[in-house]
Amino acid sequence: MAVRLMTERKVVPYTGNMATAEALRQINPDVVAAYPITPQTEIMHFFANYVANGLVDTEFMTVESEHSALSAAVGAAAAGARAMTATAGPGLALMWEILGVASGMRLPIVIPVVNRALSAPINIHCDHSDMMGARDQGCIMLFSENAEEQYDNVIQAVRIAEDERVRLPVIIGMDGFIISHSIENVSLLTDDEVKKFVGKQTLTHSLLDIDNPVTHGPIAMADSYMEFKRQQREAMMNAYKVIREAGEEFAELKGKKYEHIETYKTEDAEYILIVMGSAAGTAKYTVDGLREKGEKVGLIKVRTFRPFPYYDVVDVIDASNVKAIGVMDRAETFGGYSGPLFEEVCTSLYTRGKIYPITGIVYGLGGRDCNLNHIEEAFDVVKRKAAGMDVPPVTYLNLRV
Amino acid sequence: MKGWKNLEIGAVITEPGSSTVYKTGEWRAWRPVFQRENCIDCMICWVFCPDSSIIVEDNKVVAIDYEHCKGCGICAFECPKSKGDNESKKALIMKPEYLFREED
Ligand code: SF4
Ligand code: SF4
């Protein structure tokens, strides 16, 4: 029996990794399988402590690679367990094959990811290339702005993943070191509240149900593979609703509302930046500063990257006075026009018949600093674009020339 | 066949033994031809066949299940009565599938 540790709500000084581990403890998954990789390792240090001290009922499996970690979680989830893992950067890359297995088998595995750059050159710092590289593997993807959002998102992810309309893995990204290792105020729910919110999983086709034997993960050739992919598309579209419902219920519980996107001073904005992850916090602060100088700037933070909230993004842009948009990607799409977020935003606009001047901005690769000055530079690029000046498809922020 | 809305999600199979009705022999490029008169019923082919395609009745090999046999040739390779060059003396002979498909 898991121990009830937190009987009152608390605000604690936690890093993103501590907050994630605390969420895992309160969720009390049946199985957690993990392999260490910087900057995720610490999550499992904390969680292994909980296991060793008997605070959770979890079967904790230390495996030989991330490929194995997710494979173990796949087996456990197919057996009917609530299974989780966590990883970062190259670890997620090594999981890549099994991500598609997990989503194709429709297993609701929750995967906190500490966003880290991919090699080479080797770099352990923040970058979204890991999740962007995995973006077509059929997993729901949420990005957190800070440690508390990561805690809240991980808890909501359990509900989203296990909803019978969805049944897909959920990856929740937080920026490596910037969130994972920085101490912030994190407001925690009580153990009972989390337990009640995540509820019990409704089992479908558990391998351990010997009275109703089933086969998981069979072959599906050209005669049926496409039908199963169409089902996955449907599940993703359902996830759009379910993520919103989970956010609303979470708001009732905690007071903080989570939507697919968060807008900041966009109503009358003429220049809008679109961003994901921790840079959103910096950008909000920059927006405040520029607003004091009378500049009409605003921000859209994308929380749900998969399924991408096409309508939400365009509705907000449409309701503003926008003259130009800058989309900030913390990942490259070499040879593409600009980054992955840029492409999604352009598609959203074009398919709704909304054409605005828009430009791509790549920032923060491999943990490169992105401070207030750099966000101001990004707004300058957007202003130049609005003025009809020549702006390259992609502007690299804070780059030595 | 069922459409995407009616198929079990995640391709889960809820009826055990359904692989017998999923005909996978179409892929075969080589066909094992069985010659009963040369067979000594040692069952080596039955043990080795990765697709359970050697049909045995009353302890005797009676036929090959062409609806599931992939034509890998393991049976003929392992069969003690199928060595050498004399085809008429072999129990299992691998022949190109097109010879038979043209007849169809
Ligand atoms: S060819 Fe292969 S699959 Fe076919 S019967 Fe022989 S061993 Fe079995
Ligand atoms: S291995 Fe050859 S001889 Fe033995 S049972 Fe099979 S066909 Fe007959």
Side-chain angles (χ1 to χ4, degrees):
Chain A
M1 248 333 256
V3 177
R4 268 168 83 237
L5 216 57
M6 212 163 292
T7 51
E8 275 170 41
R9 288 199 189 181
K10 267 189 212 166
V11 177
V12 292
Y14 268 9
T15 64
N17 280 348
M18 289 162 86
T20 307
E22 194 73 61
L24 259 65
R25 181 189 66 74
Q26 293 182 310
I27 292 165
N28 190 22
D30 300 312
V31 173
V32 168
Y35 186 80
I37 184 162
T38 307
Q40 158 267 20
T41 311
E42 210 186 25
I43 297 176
M44 291 305 156
H45 285 172
F46 293 123
F47 190 71
N49 246 326
Y50 297 145
V51 175
N53 291 333
L55 301 181
V56 286
D57 305 311
T58 308
E59 180 74 33
F60 185 52
M61 300 172 70
T62 51
V63 290
E64 70 275 31
S65 76
E66 288 84 357
H67 191 278
S68 306
L70 190 54
S71 297
V74 161
R82 184 173 268 164
M84 294 177 70
T85 180
T87 190
L92 186 64
L94 187 52
M95 269 184 193
W96 201 85
E97 181 193 7
I98 311 302
L99 291 171
V101 174
S103 64
M105 288 172 67
R106 307 291 297 277
L107 300 172
I109 300 165
V110 171
I111 312 169
V113 165
V114 188
N115 296 118
R116 164 183 162 172
L118 297 178
S119 309
I122 290 182
N123 180 302
I124 56 168
H125 289 279
C126 177
D127 194 308
H128 293 165
S129 323
D130 52 1
M131 271 171 71
M132 291 300 119
R135 72 186 188 273
D136 292 334
Q137 282 295 65
C139 304
I140 291 166
M141 289 187 166
L142 306 175
F143 280 89
S144 306
E145 182 188 320
N146 52 47
E148 181 166 324
E149 281 198 15
Q150 182 70 3
Y151 171 82
D152 294 346
N153 280 335
V154 168
I155 292 167
Q156 290 171 70
V158 177
R159 281 281 295 276
I160 297 162
E162 291 174 5
D163 191 287
E164 58 179 17
R165 293 164 288 174
V166 178
R167 291 193 61 86
L168 287 173
V170 182
I171 299 178
I172 316 101
M174 67 168 150
D175 287 351
F177 293 104
I178 301 166
I179 304 177
S180 69
H181 285 65
S182 306
I183 291 177
E184 298 174 87
N185 281 352
V186 178
S187 134
L188 302 176
L189 296 166
T190 68
D191 290 357
D192 287 343
E193 283 172 326
V194 174
K195 194 176 170 189
K196 188 157 169 261
F197 186 83
V198 298
K200 269 207 163 35
Q201 193 187 174
T202 327
L203 291 182
T204 47
H205 304 312
S206 157
L207 278 177
L208 294 182
D209 180 2
I210 51 169
D211 295 327
N212 300 291
V214 290
T215 301
H216 275 270
I219 192 169
M221 300 303 283
D223 60 5
S224 50
Y225 183 85
M226 225 163 144
E227 278 72 17
F228 292 115
K229 294 298 124 181
R230 180 64 184 82
Q231 287 183 341
Q232 276 176 255
R233 168 159 278 272
E234 194 72 4
M236 263 297 177
M237 291 195 284
N238 291 342
Y240 180 82
K241 277 177 256 156
V242 172
I243 293 166
R244 182 170 279 162
E245 285 169 19
E248 280 164 5
E249 253 187 77
F250 195 80
E252 277 169 33
L253 177 67
K254 206 180 176 188
K256 186 173 179 191
K257 185 149 188 214
Y258 284 87
E259 302 195 48
H260 293 297
I261 61 170
E262 184 184 327
T263 56
Y264 194 70
K265 304 191 177 173
T266 52
E267 298 81 12
D268 62 341
E270 295 174 353
Y271 311 105
I272 292 180
L273 281 181
I274 304 182
V275 74
M276 294 194 293
S278 65
T282 318
K284 285 176 193 166
Y285 198 77
T286 314
V287 166
D288 288 344
L290 292 173
R291 283 262 168 189
E292 272 170 31
K293 292 185 204 157
E295 298 193 33
K296 296 239 185 314
V297 291
L299 176 85
I300 299 174
K301 178 183 88 180
V302 174
R303 170 192 176 228
T304 312
F305 185 74
R306 284 285 182 270
F308 194 79
Y310 295 102
Y311 275 83
D312 306 57
V313 170
V314 177
D315 287 348
V316 168
I317 293 172
D318 220 22
S320 71
N321 298 330
V322 77
K323 288 182 179 160
I325 303 156
V327 184
M328 296 183 58
D329 271 286
R330 202 165 197 148
E332 248 293 7
T333 308
F334 305 107
Y337 189 90
S338 187
L341 183 58
F342 176 90
E343 287 171 9
E344 296 295 347
V345 173
C346 285
T347 306
S348 312
L349 290 166
Y350 184 86
T351 49
R352 290 271 294 277
K354 313 282 181 191
I355 308 299
Y356 298 101
I358 186 164
T359 187
I361 296 156
V362 168
Y363 74 102
L365 300 184
R368 177 61 55 90
D369 205 15
C370 181
N371 63 28
L372 301 178
N373 298 327
H374 306 122
I375 304 277
E376 277 190 27
E377 271 174 45
F379 273 120
D380 285 342
V381 175
V382 178
K383 283 177 213 157
R384 285 208 298 279
K385 185 77 187 174
M389 291 160 81
D390 206 19
V391 173
V394 182
T395 305
Y396 267 56
L397 284 187
N398 195 9
L399 178 81
R400 285 191 307 281
V401 280
Chain B
M1 283 180 84
K2 286 183 187 171
W4 69 270
K5 288 181 183 170
N6 299 315
L7 283 167
E8 208 62 65
I9 71 155
V12 168
I13 295 171
T14 50
E15 287 168 43
S18 63
S19 56
T20 53
V21 295
Y22 195 7
K23 310 275 189 278
T24 48
E26 280 280 300
W27 314 344
R28 191 176 53 247
W30 290 79
R31 173 182 292 215
V33 175
F34 180 55
Q35 303 192 125
R36 179 61 253 177
E37 63 276 18
N38 300 328
C39 175
I40 54 168
D41 295 310
C42 66
M43 296 298 146
I44 287 176
C45 57
W46 181 83
V47 168
F48 274 88
C49 173
D51 269 298
S52 308
S53 294
I54 308 289
I55 304 171
V56 175
E57 280 169 16
D58 298 329
N59 300 326
K60 286 191 181 310
V61 176
V62 291
I64 311 289
D65 171 7
Y66 291 125
E67 287 180 340
H68 297 94
C69 162
K70 306 293 182 301
C72 67
I74 291 173
C75 53
F77 182 84
E78 297 294 342
C79 172
K81 294 295 288 177
S82 299
K83 311 289 177 201
D85 294 328
N86 190 344
E87 286 207 341
S88 65
K89 291 195 171 159
K90 290 184 180 184
L92 285 162
I93 313 156
M94 296 306 292
K95 292 197 171 166
E97 188 65 23
Y98 66 82
L99 295 177
F100 304 91
R101 296 283 162 104
E102 272 173 4
E103 280 170 19
D104 289 348

